[in-house]
Structure formats: C-alpha cells, structure tokens
Amino acid sequence: MISNFKNPALALYFLSYVLYLFFFKIYDDKEISLLFKPMIVTSISFYYFFNNGIDGYKNKMHYVVFLLLFVADNLSLMLEDVFTKGALFVYSFIMIILFYFLLEDSRIFKKQNKLVVLRVILFMCVMFSILIKLISTYWLTKDFSVYYNVLFYTTMAIGILIMSAYNFFKKKTMSSKFLLITFVSLFGSDTLYVMYKYYSQHEIWLYASCLIEIPSYFFLVKYFMFRDQENSVVTIQ
C-alpha cells in the first residue's frame, strides 16, 4: 500500500480528495473546492489505465463508469436544483451498470442469456422509475420530485451492497471484496455525515466521515483491476 503512493496519479488522487473535502465540508468554501473535484476521478482513472496489470484487457465499460462519475461529481457541486437532479440521475445510471457487473461476476446466468438479463434489468428499472414518479407526483403535487431520484438511487445502492456481499461470501473473489468495501465506505461516510448534520454537531463525526470517504474510489478501481484479472482468466480457460 505504501509503495502505491509513489505513483503520481494515485498521490494526486488522495491529495485532491483531501483538499476537496477540506474546502467543501470543513472550511465550507464551495468555489475553491471546485478546483479540486475534477482532479479526483481524472487522477484515479489514469491510475487504473497505467497500473492495470492485464495488458490489452481492460473492460471498456469501466471507463464509461469513470466518465459518468466525472460528470455526476461535478454536477453535484452546482448549487442549482437542476444540476443536483441531473447528478442523481447519472449516479442512478452508474448503479444500474454496477449491478449488471455484479450479475456478470456472479455467473448466475449463462453467457447466452446476458442480453435477456440486461433487457429485464432495464425494463424493471424503467417500470420502477415510472411507478415512483407517479407516486411522488401524486403525494408531493410537483412536476418532478428529487425524492423520486433519491429513492431510486438508494434502492439500487442497497441492491448492489446485498449482491456484492453475496458474491463475496459465495465466490470469495478479490473483486467482490473490494466492491463490498467500496459501498461500505460510501454508506459509512454518508451515515456519519448525517449524524453530524442532523443529530450531533460534534466535529468528530465530520472528520470520520471524510476519512472513510477518501479511499472509496481507490477501492472501486481495485475492484475494476481484479475484475479484469478474473475475467481474463475465465476468457483464457
């Protein structure tokens, strides 16, 4: 782990994440935090590209996830409502992709049925979205409610957490281990921040939240790296 910090991209990732959280959550200067936020996903993407040990085998969908994370992370910094809703929508789409990765990793479905499974997942997501949209519109009497996006995002996140735990205990692969750690990190960080914001104003919750959040994208990249390795072995076999 210590040797990893010699990598410039990884060092930039941790430095930019620390500075972003300091200015965004602790010092409360949104304008300065805008300088560091774009560096986070960019630097960790470079780390993935140059340090993945499988030459010529990198899942292109992993780069799609990085691109979507970059868009969503930077949209979430804008204070306008439309950007916040847009960020939630992009995050929800990322969750759908990760859930599909988990279904692939679990090998529950045969290879020839993957397209059918993807269509079923997309159909269920669309129907769920329409249902929640109608409910939120009826109860909140608004054209569009942010609660709809939050509920969908949370449901998908919980589904991924459960599925990654299943993969970890069933398959015991390194990729499932790191994806599980990624979501435990994100959930732990959000939980501690909610405790600080709404229940206890003690700063220890804020600092603990930031500390747990910092390595989350690093864990996600490790998931991608080990997933590439495991899939390359399966392909060779």
Side-chain angles (χ1 to χ4, degrees):
M1 180 68 179
I2 295 176
S3 61
N4 283 335
F5 284 96
K6 296 178 181 178
N7 184 290
L10 191 60
L12 178 61
Y13 164 76
F14 280 102
L15 179 62
S16 57
Y17 217 140
V18 169
L19 290 172
Y20 159 71
L21 288 175
F22 173 76
F23 286 108
F24 188 77
K25 288 188 176 181
I26 299 173
Y27 194 68
D28 197 24
D29 192 325
K30 304 294 189 295
E31 292 183 2
I32 296 181
S33 66
L34 281 168
L35 299 174
F36 301 105
K37 187 65 169 178
M39 299 180 190
I40 297 173
V41 175
T42 305
S43 56
I44 205 65
S45 301
F46 274 103
Y47 174 74
Y48 170 73
F49 181 79
F50 289 109
N51 291 274
N52 194 347
I54 304 300
D55 294 331
Y57 190 89
K58 295 182 178 71
N59 193 319
K60 292 181 176 60
M61 284 301 296
H62 296 168
Y63 292 108
V64 173
V65 173
F66 286 134
L67 177 61
L68 293 174
L69 280 173
F70 180 84
V71 172
D73 280 357
N74 289 282
L75 281 176
S76 65
L77 286 177
M78 308 301 178
L79 299 179
E80 297 292 334
D81 245 9
V82 63
F83 294 116
T84 302
K85 293 171 182 176
L88 278 171
F89 178 80
V90 178
Y91 281 131
S92 299
F93 191 69
I94 293 170
M95 292 297 176
I96 295 172
I97 295 175
L98 290 176
F99 192 76
Y100 178 67
F101 286 168
L102 282 167
L103 288 178
E104 278 192 324
D105 297 343
S106 67
R107 317 285 180 196
I108 294 176
F109 303 99
K110 295 180 180 179
K111 188 174 289 187
Q112 58 265 31
N113 292 333
K114 283 182 180 178
L115 186 58
V116 176
V117 173
L118 180 60
R119 288 173 178 171
V120 170
I121 293 171
L122 291 175
F123 176 76
M124 290 175 63
C125 290
V126 170
M127 294 306 295
F128 180 81
S129 301
I130 293 173
L131 177 63
I132 300 302
K133 165 66 175 167
L134 293 173
I135 293 172
S136 64
T137 303
Y138 176 77
W139 286 105
L140 300 171
T141 61
K142 294 180 179 179
D143 292 332
F144 186 93
S145 171
V146 72
Y147 297 107
Y148 149 73
N149 264 340
V150 171
L151 182 58
F152 179 77
Y153 172 84
T154 305
T155 304
M156 288 300 299
I158 292 173
I160 290 173
L161 187 62
I162 294 171
M163 194 67 188
S164 58
Y166 167 82
N167 278 0
F168 175 67
F169 291 111
K170 184 76 174 178
K171 300 289 184 179
K172 300 187 184 303
T173 59
M174 291 298 292
S175 62
S176 59
K177 170 186 172 182
F178 275 105
L179 187 61
L180 182 60
I181 294 173
T182 299
F183 276 86
V184 168
S185 172
L186 292 172
F187 269 103
S189 173
D190 288 344
T191 301
L192 290 172
Y193 188 72
V194 167
M195 288 178 64
Y196 165 76
K197 195 78 174 176
Y198 299 104
Y199 296 100
S200 171
Q201 298 298 314
H202 203 294
E203 290 185 348
I204 190 170
W205 302 119
L206 176 61
Y207 296 140
S209 170
C210 294
L211 189 64
I212 295 174
E213 180 183 346
I214 289 170
S216 57
Y217 284 175
F218 171 73
F219 294 142
L220 181 63
V221 165
K222 297 299 284 186
Y223 162 67
F224 286 158
M225 287 180 171
F226 280 109
R227 187 170 186 267
D228 285 338
Q229 292 178 16
E230 292 157 12
N231 287 339
S232 68
V233 171
V234 171
T235 303
I236 293 171
Q237 291 174 348

